[in-house]
């Protein structure tokens, strides 16, 4: 049981390049989230998904796209990377099935992807 | 925008002392969660306290919640060097969105 796995761990991109960050969870969680973490800013939500085939925008979605074709995977894409997207990206998942568990369910995080755009 | 705001931003103590961190939030909540983040790692869940609870314990951790003041505190007793980390609070606002909003965190350093 690996939990939430993010790949790659590190990446350096040049401005204008594209890449995809992969998040995989093996806990059969319904909800998945992509956050970015910048110094002094805490975690800010980029996009999230409430189930397979569905995605929604978070607080800072511009410049990113996401897809959730399979329940266990949530992909974050950068079509044309910019220096402002230099950050640490975290994926998280959450189990929200059932009324009793719904408000007792924490997030499970991956270990992050450190992205530098030059 | 941040829903939760931790205070202080940084805390430096000696091993064996207690560490107290506070979190204030703005809107009505269903629950409040505390997470720890070690350097270079992801966040790890510590305690979740529901809006109808006032206090919760887990080992050396004690969390209180005052919904009238929209605030929570995390107490770590008898701290250890291994407790050195950043601590974040997150809230699930009422309304059923299930989208937790995080604060900026408290950086705790415990000196051996």
């Amino acid at each position: 049981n690996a939990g939430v796995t993010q790949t790659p761990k590190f990446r350096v991109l040049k401005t204008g390049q594209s890449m995809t960050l992969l998040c995989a969870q093996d806990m059969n969680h319904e909800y998945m989230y992509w956050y970015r973490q910048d110094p002094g800013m805490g975690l800010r939500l980029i996009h999230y998904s409430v189930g397979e085939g569905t995605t929604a925008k978070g607080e800072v979605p511009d410049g990113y796209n996401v897809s959730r074709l399979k329940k266990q995977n949530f992909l974050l894409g950068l079509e044309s990377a910019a220096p402002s997207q230099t950050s640490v990206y975290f994926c998280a998942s959450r189990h929200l099935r059932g009324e009793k568990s719904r408000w007792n369910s924490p997030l499970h995080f991956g270990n992050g992807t450190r992205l530098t755009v030059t | 925008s941040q829903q939760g705001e931790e205070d202080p931003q940084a805390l430096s103590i000696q091993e064996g002392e207690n560490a107290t961190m506070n979190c204030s939030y703005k809107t009505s909540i269903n629950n409040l969660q505390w997470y720890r983040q070690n350097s270079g790692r992801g966040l790890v869940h510590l305690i979740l306290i529901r809006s109808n609870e006032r206090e919760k314990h887990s080992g050396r951790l004690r969390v209180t919640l005052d919904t009238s003041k929209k605030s929570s505190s995390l107490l770590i007793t008898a701290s250890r060097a291994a407790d050195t980390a950043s601590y974040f609070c997150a809230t699930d606002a009422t309304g059923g969105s299930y989208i937790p909003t995080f604060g900026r965190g408290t950086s705790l350093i415990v000196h051996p």
Side-chain angles (χ1 to χ4, degrees):
Chain A
N1 191 339
V4 178
T5 303
Q6 291 184 234
T7 53
K9 290 183 172 58
F10 302 94
R11 186 72 186 268
V12 178
L13 286 180
K14 294 185 177 179
T15 297
Q17 287 185 321
S18 63
M19 76 163 295
T20 300
L21 283 69
L22 172 63
C23 176
Q25 53 97 0
D26 61 2
M27 297 171 283
N28 201 34
H29 285 173
E30 296 79 19
Y31 274 54
M32 296 187 75
Y33 311 79
W34 276 108
Y35 288 91
R36 60 178 288 174
Q37 184 177 37
D38 302 292
M41 297 294 291
L43 277 79
R44 292 183 292 169
L45 182 66
I46 305 172
H47 286 278
Y48 66 99
S49 168
V50 304
E52 182 178 321
T54 71
T55 63
K57 294 180 180 180
E59 180 186 354
V60 288
D62 293 342
Y64 306 95
N65 56 75
V66 288
S67 64
R68 191 159 178 211
L69 299 179
K70 295 183 179 180
K71 187 176 184 180
Q72 63 268 34
N73 295 336
F74 195 27
L75 280 67
L76 178 71
L78 286 73
E79 290 185 347
S80 179
S84 61
Q85 294 177 305
T86 293
S87 187
V88 182
Y89 292 86
F90 287 99
C91 175
S93 69
R94 191 178 198 183
H95 174 61
L96 283 168
R97 179 175 299 173
E99 190 61 34
K100 285 188 177 181
S101 69
R102 196 157 293 180
W103 297 120
N104 283 323
S105 180
L107 272 66
H108 297 256
F109 282 85
N111 281 322
T113 294
R114 187 173 295 275
L115 174 66
T116 302
V117 182
T118 61
Chain B
S1 61
Q2 258 68 27
Q3 155 80 312
E5 292 292 340
E6 292 89 344
D7 172 64
Q9 290 187 347
L11 183 60
S12 180
I13 60 174
Q14 295 294 321
E15 214 168 26
E17 294 180 338
N18 295 342
T20 300
M21 288 158 267
N22 303 297
C23 171
S24 60
Y25 57 91
K26 299 173 184 173
T27 64
S28 295
I29 61 172
N30 280 303
N31 66 52
L32 187 143
Q33 305 147 49
W34 283 95
Y35 293 83
R36 183 187 72 220
Q37 183 181 33
N38 291 95
S39 180
R41 308 284 289 181
L43 280 72
V44 174
H45 174 250
L46 297 175
I47 289 184
L48 182 151
I49 186 165
R50 297 182 65 162
S51 60
N52 60 355
E53 298 175 314
R54 291 296 166 257
E55 189 170 312
K56 212 164 181 181
H57 297 255
S58 177
R60 294 183 296 112
L61 305 181
R62 172 178 169 251
V63 167
T64 60
L65 178 64
D66 187 335
T67 53
S68 67
K69 296 181 179 179
K70 290 187 170 57
S71 68
S72 173
S73 67
L74 170 66
L75 168 67
I76 304 174
T77 59
S79 62
R80 305 166 181 167
D83 295 327
T84 294
S86 292
Y87 293 81
F88 294 87
C89 67
T91 54
D92 272 322
T94 55
S97 68
Y98 310 111
I99 309 298
T101 307
F102 286 82
R104 291 184 169 87
T106 291
S107 175
L108 172 67
I109 297 175
V110 181
H111 299 280

